[in-house]
Amino acid sequence: MIGCGFVGSASVFALMQSGLFTEIVLIDADKNKAEGEAMDISHGIPFASPMKIYAGDYDDVADAAIVVISAGAGQKPGETRLDLVNKNVAIFKSIIPEIAKRNFAGIMLVVANPVDILTQVAIKLSGLPENRVIGSGTVLDSARLRYKLGEHLSVDSRSVHAFIVGEHGDSEVVAWSSANVSGVPLSEMCEMRGHYKHKENTAEIATAVKNSAYEIINKKHATYYGIAMSVKRICEVIMRDEKSILPVSHMIHGVYDIDGVSLSMPAIVGADGIESDIPINLSGEEALKLKESADSLKKIMETIEL
Protein backbone atom coordinates (compact mmCIF):
# COMPACT_ATOMS: atom_id res chain seq x y z
CA MET A 1 0.00 0.00 0.00
CA ILE A 2 1.62 3.23 -1.13
CA GLY A 3 0.06 6.11 0.79
CA CYS A 4 -1.11 5.72 4.38
CA GLY A 5 -3.70 8.45 4.65
CA PHE A 6 -7.34 7.73 5.49
CA VAL A 7 -7.96 5.67 2.32
CA GLY A 8 -4.73 3.67 2.43
CA SER A 9 -5.02 2.85 6.13
CA ALA A 10 -8.73 1.96 5.97
CA SER A 11 -7.99 -0.27 2.96
CA VAL A 12 -5.18 -2.09 4.80
CA PHE A 13 -7.53 -2.54 7.77
CA ALA A 14 -10.15 -4.11 5.47
CA LEU A 15 -7.49 -6.28 3.78
CA MET A 16 -6.15 -7.43 7.16
CA GLN A 17 -9.59 -8.81 8.00
CA SER A 18 -9.97 -10.49 4.59
CA GLY A 19 -7.22 -13.06 5.13
CA LEU A 20 -6.22 -12.70 1.47
CA PHE A 21 -2.56 -11.95 2.10
CA THR A 22 0.25 -13.27 4.29
CA GLU A 23 2.13 -9.99 4.07
CA ILE A 24 1.10 -6.35 3.70
CA VAL A 25 3.69 -3.58 3.43
CA LEU A 26 2.85 0.08 4.03
CA ILE A 27 4.88 2.78 2.30
CA ASP A 28 4.44 6.48 2.96
CA ALA A 29 6.53 9.64 2.51
CA ASP A 30 6.12 9.96 6.29
CA LYS A 31 7.76 6.74 7.54
CA ASN A 32 6.47 7.31 11.09
CA LYS A 33 2.89 7.43 9.82
CA ALA A 34 3.37 4.12 7.95
CA GLU A 35 4.93 2.54 11.07
CA GLY A 36 2.15 3.78 13.33
CA GLU A 37 -0.61 2.51 11.04
CA ALA A 38 1.15 -0.86 10.60
CA MET A 39 1.46 -1.27 14.38
CA ASP A 40 -2.15 -0.28 15.05
CA ILE A 41 -3.59 -2.57 12.35
CA SER A 42 -1.27 -5.46 13.36
CA HIS A 43 -2.83 -5.51 16.81
CA GLY A 44 -6.02 -6.84 15.20
CA ILE A 45 -4.24 -9.87 13.69
CA PRO A 46 -5.06 -12.17 16.67
CA PHE A 47 -8.73 -11.76 15.67
CA ALA A 48 -8.08 -12.39 11.94
CA SER A 49 -5.55 -14.64 10.18
CA PRO A 50 -1.78 -14.86 10.73
CA MET A 51 0.09 -12.36 8.55
CA LYS A 52 2.83 -9.77 8.67
CA ILE A 53 1.97 -6.07 8.41
CA TYR A 54 4.87 -3.63 8.50
CA ALA A 55 6.22 -0.35 7.15
CA GLY A 56 8.68 -0.77 4.30
CA ASP A 57 10.14 0.91 1.24
CA TYR A 58 10.06 0.58 -2.54
CA ASP A 59 12.35 -2.49 -2.50
CA ASP A 60 9.40 -4.40 -1.03
CA VAL A 61 7.50 -3.80 -4.29
CA ALA A 62 9.71 -6.24 -6.24
CA ASP A 63 7.84 -9.43 -5.29
CA ALA A 64 4.41 -7.98 -4.49
CA ALA A 65 1.31 -9.51 -6.09
CA ILE A 66 -0.58 -6.20 -5.97
CA VAL A 67 0.60 -2.65 -5.44
CA VAL A 68 -2.22 -0.33 -4.36
CA ILE A 69 -1.54 3.38 -4.83
CA SER A 70 -3.64 5.64 -2.64
CA ALA A 71 -0.97 8.32 -2.22
CA GLY A 72 -2.05 11.80 -3.21
CA ALA A 73 -3.65 14.99 -2.00
CA GLY A 74 -7.19 14.44 -0.68
CA GLN A 75 -10.27 16.15 -2.05
CA LYS A 76 -11.19 19.25 -0.06
CA PRO A 77 -14.72 20.60 0.44
CA GLY A 78 -15.78 22.45 -2.71
CA GLU A 79 -13.07 20.80 -4.81
CA THR A 80 -13.84 18.39 -7.67
CA ARG A 81 -11.80 15.26 -8.25
CA LEU A 82 -10.42 16.83 -11.41
CA ASP A 83 -9.14 19.85 -9.44
CA LEU A 84 -6.62 17.47 -7.92
CA VAL A 85 -5.02 16.61 -11.27
CA ASN A 86 -1.76 18.56 -11.19
CA LYS A 87 -0.99 17.94 -7.52
CA ASN A 88 -1.45 14.21 -7.84
CA VAL A 89 0.21 13.79 -11.25
CA ALA A 90 3.32 15.36 -9.67
CA ILE A 91 3.14 12.82 -6.81
CA PHE A 92 2.74 9.94 -9.32
CA LYS A 93 5.84 11.15 -11.19
CA SER A 94 7.83 10.44 -8.04
CA ILE A 95 6.13 7.11 -7.20
CA ILE A 96 5.63 5.19 -10.47
CA PRO A 97 9.26 5.28 -11.70
CA GLU A 98 10.33 3.84 -8.33
CA ILE A 99 7.96 0.90 -8.87
CA ALA A 100 9.09 0.44 -12.50
CA LYS A 101 12.76 0.30 -11.39
CA ARG A 102 12.01 -2.79 -9.27
CA ASN A 103 10.76 -4.87 -12.23
CA PHE A 104 7.35 -5.15 -10.59
CA ALA A 105 5.50 -8.14 -12.08
CA GLY A 106 2.11 -7.90 -10.37
CA ILE A 107 -1.06 -5.85 -10.73
CA MET A 108 -1.06 -2.11 -10.09
CA LEU A 109 -4.28 -0.81 -8.54
CA VAL A 110 -4.72 2.97 -8.58
CA VAL A 111 -7.10 4.42 -6.00
CA ALA A 112 -5.95 8.07 -5.76
CA ASN A 113 -8.11 10.70 -7.49
CA PRO A 114 -8.82 11.69 -10.19
CA VAL A 115 -8.57 7.93 -10.62
CA ASP A 116 -9.17 7.71 -14.39
CA ILE A 117 -6.49 10.28 -15.22
CA LEU A 118 -4.04 8.77 -12.74
CA THR A 119 -4.64 5.25 -14.09
CA GLN A 120 -3.69 6.48 -17.55
CA VAL A 121 -0.68 8.35 -16.10
CA ALA A 122 0.39 5.15 -14.28
CA ILE A 123 0.18 3.12 -17.51
CA LYS A 124 2.39 5.64 -19.33
CA LEU A 125 4.95 6.09 -16.55
CA SER A 126 5.23 2.42 -15.56
CA GLY A 127 5.53 0.84 -19.00
CA LEU A 128 3.39 -2.05 -17.70
CA PRO A 129 0.94 -3.82 -20.05
CA GLU A 130 -2.43 -2.02 -19.98
CA ASN A 131 -4.27 -5.04 -18.57
CA ARG A 132 -2.10 -4.95 -15.43
CA VAL A 133 -2.89 -1.33 -14.47
CA ILE A 134 -6.38 -0.91 -13.03
CA GLY A 135 -8.13 2.01 -11.39
CA SER A 136 -10.77 1.52 -8.68
CA GLY A 137 -12.99 3.50 -11.07
CA THR A 138 -16.73 3.36 -10.48
CA VAL A 139 -16.69 0.21 -8.30
CA LEU A 140 -17.63 2.41 -5.34
CA ASP A 141 -20.12 4.54 -7.32
CA SER A 142 -21.84 1.37 -8.54
CA ALA A 143 -21.97 0.07 -4.94
CA ARG A 144 -23.53 3.37 -3.83
CA LEU A 145 -26.07 3.03 -6.64
CA ARG A 146 -26.92 -0.55 -5.66
CA TYR A 147 -27.23 0.50 -2.02
CA LYS A 148 -29.61 3.35 -2.91
CA LEU A 149 -31.70 1.14 -5.19
CA GLY A 150 -31.85 -1.57 -2.52
CA GLU A 151 -33.11 1.02 -0.06
CA HIS A 152 -35.62 2.43 -2.57
CA LEU A 153 -37.03 -1.01 -3.42
CA SER A 154 -36.63 -2.60 0.04
CA VAL A 155 -34.58 -5.47 -1.41
CA ASP A 156 -31.10 -6.82 -0.65
CA SER A 157 -28.63 -4.57 -2.49
CA ARG A 158 -26.62 -7.68 -3.46
CA SER A 159 -29.52 -8.69 -5.71
CA VAL A 160 -29.37 -5.35 -7.54
CA HIS A 161 -27.32 -5.43 -10.75
CA ALA A 162 -26.55 -1.91 -11.94
CA PHE A 163 -23.47 -0.09 -13.17
CA ILE A 164 -22.20 3.44 -13.25
CA VAL A 165 -19.83 3.88 -16.19
CA GLY A 166 -17.47 6.57 -17.48
CA GLU A 167 -15.52 8.93 -15.24
CA HIS A 168 -15.40 8.39 -11.49
CA GLY A 169 -16.65 11.93 -11.04
CA ASP A 170 -19.06 14.56 -12.23
CA SER A 171 -19.56 13.19 -15.76
CA GLU A 172 -20.33 9.64 -14.61
CA VAL A 173 -23.23 7.86 -16.34
CA VAL A 174 -25.80 5.56 -14.75
CA ALA A 175 -26.51 2.68 -17.12
CA TRP A 176 -30.22 2.60 -16.28
CA SER A 177 -31.13 0.69 -19.43
CA SER A 178 -29.23 -2.41 -18.28
CA ALA A 179 -30.12 -2.20 -14.55
CA ASN A 180 -32.08 -5.12 -13.12
CA VAL A 181 -32.92 -6.88 -9.88
CA SER A 182 -32.07 -10.58 -10.24
CA GLY A 183 -32.95 -10.44 -13.93
CA VAL A 184 -36.15 -8.40 -13.52
CA PRO A 185 -35.87 -5.08 -15.43
CA LEU A 186 -35.63 -2.14 -13.04
CA SER A 187 -38.81 -0.34 -14.13
CA GLU A 188 -40.80 -3.57 -13.74
CA MET A 189 -39.33 -4.17 -10.29
CA CYS A 190 -40.12 -0.58 -9.26
CA GLU A 191 -43.78 -1.05 -10.18
CA MET A 192 -43.90 -4.38 -8.33
CA ARG A 193 -42.73 -2.43 -5.26
CA GLY A 194 -45.23 0.39 -5.72
CA HIS A 195 -43.03 3.03 -7.42
CA TYR A 196 -44.36 4.55 -10.65
CA LYS A 197 -42.50 7.88 -10.99
CA HIS A 198 -39.55 6.36 -12.85
CA LYS A 199 -38.14 9.57 -14.30
CA GLU A 200 -38.20 11.52 -11.02
CA ASN A 201 -36.94 8.58 -8.94
CA THR A 202 -34.04 7.67 -11.23
CA ALA A 203 -32.95 11.34 -11.49
CA GLU A 204 -33.09 11.69 -7.70
CA ILE A 205 -31.08 8.50 -7.09
CA ALA A 206 -28.46 9.38 -9.75
CA THR A 207 -27.95 12.82 -8.20
CA ALA A 208 -27.72 11.39 -4.67
CA VAL A 209 -25.08 8.87 -5.80
CA LYS A 210 -23.07 11.45 -7.73
CA ASN A 211 -23.09 13.92 -4.84
CA SER A 212 -22.63 11.44 -2.00
CA ALA A 213 -18.84 11.90 -1.85
CA TYR A 214 -19.23 15.70 -1.70
CA GLU A 215 -21.82 15.30 1.05
CA ILE A 216 -19.57 12.99 3.10
CA ILE A 217 -16.57 15.32 2.60
CA ASN A 218 -18.65 18.29 3.77
CA LYS A 219 -19.78 16.39 6.86
CA LYS A 220 -16.58 14.54 7.88
CA HIS A 221 -13.88 15.93 5.53
CA ALA A 222 -12.98 12.64 3.81
CA THR A 223 -14.44 9.38 2.50
CA TYR A 224 -12.60 6.14 3.23
CA TYR A 225 -14.71 3.19 4.44
CA GLY A 226 -16.66 2.66 1.20
CA ILE A 227 -13.52 2.86 -0.95
CA ALA A 228 -11.68 0.55 1.49
CA MET A 229 -14.32 -2.13 0.90
CA SER A 230 -14.05 -1.54 -2.86
CA VAL A 231 -10.26 -2.04 -2.69
CA LYS A 232 -10.79 -5.26 -0.71
CA ARG A 233 -13.25 -6.53 -3.32
CA ILE A 234 -10.94 -5.77 -6.26
CA CYS A 235 -7.99 -7.45 -4.48
CA GLU A 236 -10.19 -10.49 -3.75
CA VAL A 237 -11.12 -10.84 -7.41
CA ILE A 238 -7.44 -10.63 -8.48
CA MET A 239 -6.00 -12.94 -5.80
CA ARG A 240 -8.67 -15.61 -6.24
CA ASP A 241 -8.69 -15.25 -10.04
CA GLU A 242 -12.48 -14.93 -9.72
CA LYS A 243 -13.06 -13.55 -13.22
CA SER A 244 -15.76 -11.35 -11.71
CA ILE A 245 -17.24 -8.45 -13.63
CA LEU A 246 -16.35 -5.08 -12.11
CA PRO A 247 -16.65 -1.52 -13.45
CA VAL A 248 -12.95 -0.74 -13.00
CA SER A 249 -11.09 2.06 -14.73
CA HIS A 250 -8.92 0.73 -17.57
CA MET A 251 -7.80 1.66 -21.07
CA ILE A 252 -10.69 1.52 -23.48
CA HIS A 253 -10.17 0.73 -27.15
CA GLY A 254 -13.09 1.00 -29.52
CA VAL A 255 -16.02 0.55 -27.11
CA TYR A 256 -18.85 2.99 -27.91
CA ASP A 257 -16.54 4.95 -30.20
CA ILE A 258 -14.07 5.58 -27.36
CA ASP A 259 -10.39 4.95 -27.90
CA GLY A 260 -7.23 5.53 -25.90
CA VAL A 261 -8.90 6.79 -22.70
CA SER A 262 -8.95 5.20 -19.28
CA LEU A 263 -12.43 5.12 -17.75
CA SER A 264 -14.82 2.66 -16.17
CA MET A 265 -16.67 0.02 -18.10
CA PRO A 266 -17.58 -3.45 -16.83
CA ALA A 267 -14.70 -5.86 -17.40
CA ILE A 268 -13.79 -9.43 -16.47
CA VAL A 269 -11.11 -9.12 -13.79
CA GLY A 270 -8.84 -11.96 -12.65
CA ALA A 271 -5.26 -12.85 -11.74
CA ASP A 272 -3.87 -11.15 -14.86
CA GLY A 273 -5.86 -7.97 -14.31
CA ILE A 274 -8.28 -7.03 -17.11
CA GLU A 275 -9.24 -10.08 -19.19
CA SER A 276 -11.81 -8.49 -21.47
CA ASP A 277 -14.46 -5.81 -21.71
CA ILE A 278 -18.08 -6.79 -21.22
CA PRO A 279 -20.46 -5.23 -23.74
CA ILE A 280 -23.11 -3.38 -21.78
CA ASN A 281 -26.39 -2.22 -23.28
CA LEU A 282 -26.71 1.54 -23.20
CA SER A 283 -29.50 3.71 -24.58
CA GLY A 284 -28.58 6.29 -27.24
CA GLU A 285 -28.61 9.04 -24.61
CA GLU A 286 -26.43 7.03 -22.21
CA ALA A 287 -23.92 6.23 -24.98
CA LEU A 288 -23.76 9.93 -25.86
CA LYS A 289 -23.13 10.89 -22.22
CA LEU A 290 -20.42 8.22 -21.96
CA LYS A 291 -18.69 9.66 -25.05
CA GLU A 292 -18.88 13.14 -23.49
CA SER A 293 -17.37 11.76 -20.27
CA ALA A 294 -14.52 10.20 -22.28
CA ASP A 295 -13.95 13.43 -24.23
CA SER A 296 -13.72 15.50 -21.03
CA LEU A 297 -11.08 13.10 -19.66
CA LYS A 298 -9.20 13.14 -22.98
CA LYS A 299 -9.00 16.95 -22.89
CA ILE A 300 -7.47 16.86 -19.42
CA MET A 301 -4.96 14.13 -20.44
CA GLU A 302 -3.82 16.38 -23.30
CA THR A 303 -2.82 19.12 -20.82
CA ILE A 304 -0.59 16.77 -18.80
CA GLU A 305 3.12 16.62 -19.57
CA LEU A 306 4.64 13.20 -18.95
Side-chain angles (χ1 to χ4, degrees):
M1 175 64 68
I2 300 176
C4 300
F6 284 128
V7 171
S9 305
S11 297
V12 172
F13 181 57
L15 289 167
M16 179 271 284
Q17 295 171 78
S18 72
L20 279 172
F21 301 102
T22 53
E23 207 171 334
I24 302 175
V25 182
L26 284 73
I27 300 173
D28 196 275
D30 178 352
K31 188 82 190 267
N32 276 339
K33 172 85 167 116
E35 285 174 355
E37 294 293 357
M39 280 176 73
D40 195 6
I41 295 166
S42 294
H43 296 161
I45 288 173
F47 307 113
S49 308
M51 69 181 82
K52 286 181 186 168
I53 299 174
Y54 57 93
D57 56 37
Y58 284 106
D59 287 339
D60 293 299
V61 161
D63 60 348
I66 302 173
V67 166
V68 185
I69 307 174
S70 71
Q75 198 176 341
K76 295 190 175 76
E79 197 173 36
T80 70
R81 293 183 185 97
L82 293 179
D83 289 335
L84 298 174
V85 172
N86 294 326
K87 280 187 260 186
N88 286 349
V89 167
I91 291 168
F92 267 49
K93 282 179 178 174
S94 66
I95 291 171
I96 307 293
E98 289 295 334
I99 297 169
K101 268 185 221 168
R102 268 76 180 182
N103 298 321
F104 171 61
I107 305 294
M108 187 181 285
L109 173 57
V110 177
V111 183
N113 277 318
V115 71
D116 306 287
I117 298 290
L118 294 177
T119 301
Q120 198 157 344
V121 165
I123 290 168
K124 290 199 171 182
L125 293 176
S126 68
L128 288 171
E130 288 178 358
N131 62 297
R132 282 177 36 211
V133 183
I134 302 173
S136 52
T138 55
V139 171
L140 175 56
D141 309 75
S142 298
R144 286 169 173 157
L145 175 66
R146 290 166 60 207
Y147 172 76
K148 285 278 182 200
L149 284 169
E151 230 180 10
H152 180 64
L153 298 166
S154 295
V155 296
D156 182 349
S157 56
R158 293 172 302 178
S159 299
V160 178
H161 304 284
F163 290 115
I164 286 181
V165 295
E167 178 203 354
H168 169 56
D170 295 338
S171 69
E172 66 186 32
V173 181
V174 183
W176 289 118
S177 44
S178 64
N180 67 84
V181 180
S182 289
V184 180
L186 189 62
S187 54
E188 210 176 297
M189 191 70 184
C190 284
E191 290 181 7
M192 278 169 62
R193 306 296 274 168
H195 301 290
Y196 298 93
K197 297 178 177 174
H198 302 316
K199 206 172 179 183
E200 292 93 323
N201 290 342
T202 52
E204 202 177 294
I205 289 167
T207 303
V209 169
K210 188 166 83 171
N211 292 335
S212 57
Y214 295 127
E215 200 179 328
I216 295 166
I217 288 165
N218 282 333
K219 289 177 190 291
K220 55 171 266 188
H221 310 298
T223 77
Y224 38 93
Y225 297 124
I227 188 63
M229 290 300 282
S230 307
V231 168
K232 179 180 87 82
R233 180 68 192 122
I234 298 165
C235 288
E236 237 169 30
V237 168
I238 294 165
M239 293 308 291
R240 293 179 181 158
D241 195 18
E242 285 186 16
K243 303 189 192 312
S244 289
I245 294 162
L246 297 174
V248 286
S249 187
H250 60 289
M251 281 299 275
I252 302 292
H253 294 290
V255 180
Y256 282 106
D257 227 13
I258 296 163
D259 195 54
V261 185
S262 180
L263 49 71
S264 289
M265 287 292 281
I268 297 174
V269 183
D272 297 324
I274 303 291
E275 275 200 15
S276 68
D277 281 305
I278 290 293
I280 183 174
N281 289 327
L282 298 178
S283 67
E285 190 189 348
E286 288 164 357
L288 200 67
K289 282 182 178 169
L290 179 65
K291 184 77 170 73
E292 284 168 8
S293 185
D295 290 343
S296 71
L297 289 166
K298 208 167 202 171
K299 272 184 195 144
I300 290 155
M301 267 315 291
E302 283 163 5
T303 67
I304 296 168
E305 285 178 33
L306 294 175

